[in-house]
Amino acid sequence: MSQRALQRKRDVTWRTVRRTLDGRWPEPRRQHRRRESRLDPCKPLIDEILRADPDAPAKQRHTAQRIFDRLTFDGAIIVTPLRNGTAFTGRPSPITRT
């Protein structure tokens, strides 16, 4: 079977076919570290808000927007507007908390 036919059959690049025919094993994939979520420091507060919600009347339950507004009002997270109009949320730095 030709190299091009192997390439098409296995859906790999020509370099992979060449390495395989040379007898080299593919390198193991790197394990990437899971990134920390920007909301990780706020998760206990969000859980506390949501646990209190079943007792509230239907009109007073928290939506995602209301939780976001409450977090920004409490100072749990700082929101910086970006050029494209979206918002970047993150942990407040010690400098901005004065």
Side-chain angles (χ1 to χ4, degrees):
M1 184 177 267
S2 70
Q3 290 183 21
R4 184 165 290 178
L6 284 170
Q7 209 176 318
R8 286 188 193 125
K9 182 177 180 182
R10 300 293 179 194
D11 194 27
V12 293
T13 64
W14 65 271
R15 287 187 179 105
T16 306
V17 173
R18 172 89 326 225
R19 287 183 197 134
T20 305
L21 292 175
D22 289 345
R24 288 187 285 169
W25 287 96
E27 299 165 5
R29 294 184 182 200
R30 283 189 251 159
Q31 296 293 324
H32 294 285
R33 184 174 59 91
R34 185 174 174 267
R35 291 164 107 189
E36 178 181 310
S37 168
R38 296 192 190 281
L39 287 178
D40 279 349
C42 303
K43 283 183 180 178
L45 180 60
I46 294 171
D47 288 340
E48 179 183 326
I49 292 169
L50 293 176
R51 277 194 205 104
D53 263 356
D55 301 335
K59 292 279 188 175
Q60 294 178 3
R61 291 196 182 128
H62 285 83
T63 61
Q65 182 63 48
R66 287 186 68 189
I67 291 174
F68 175 77
D69 292 340
R70 189 163 165 189
L71 290 174
T72 54
F73 181 75
D74 291 344
I77 58 174
I78 303 294
V79 178
T80 307
L82 298 176
R83 274 185 253 145
N84 63 357
T86 60
F88 169 80
T89 59
R91 266 188 265 159
S93 66
I95 298 169
T96 58
R97 271 203 147 169
T98 58

